[in-house]
Amino acid sequence: MAGDRRLSRPDSSLPDWEMPDTAYRPVPIVWFTGAFFLHLILIIVFAAILFSQAAWIKVALTALAAGAIGEWTWERGMKDAGSGWKIATIIMLGINVFFVVAATSS
């Protein structure tokens, strides 16, 4: 018994040769968080590069980036997620755009 690898050790529930059947299954929080951080990074880059430009340029680029990131997030799998995640993603991207509007209006 000690030399037979098909048998489990007494302290293990699975034989040491068996691999459990698992697969990576992405979840909506990953897509949501990825979209949030990517948009946040782009907002910072736009603010740094376009510091002396007109406010409407920053807002327009931020809104365009939000649309592109939203589309990318939907294609990654958000289209199959629950409606709560879809709504949260749209709201989050919208809040980021409104944040830029508020930051550039002063």
Side-chain angles (χ1 to χ4, degrees):
M1 179 174 151
D4 191 359
R5 291 184 49 85
R6 293 176 297 165
L7 298 175
S8 176
R9 295 188 341 227
D11 62 340
S12 175
S13 62
L14 290 174
D16 62 353
W17 53 267
E18 184 171 335
M19 294 295 292
D21 293 331
T22 60
Y24 173 70
R25 192 184 89 190
V27 290
I29 186 105
V30 175
W31 302 316
F32 177 87
T33 307
F36 173 74
F37 281 117
L38 180 60
H39 199 228
L40 184 65
I41 290 168
L42 284 176
I43 289 171
I44 293 168
V45 168
F46 291 156
I49 292 175
L50 304 170
F51 181 74
S52 62
Q53 298 296 320
W56 69 268
I57 294 174
K58 296 175 204 168
V59 172
L61 285 176
T62 301
L64 185 64
I69 290 170
E71 176 68 24
W72 174 67
T73 302
W74 249 246
E75 292 304 313
R76 287 177 71 191
M78 190 62 84
K79 63 183 171 223
D80 299 325
S83 60
W85 283 110
K86 294 175 185 177
I87 293 168
T89 303
I90 292 168
I91 289 172
M92 176 269 300
L93 290 171
I95 287 173
N96 283 353
V97 172
F98 286 128
F99 172 74
V100 171
V101 170
T104 58
S105 65
S106 55

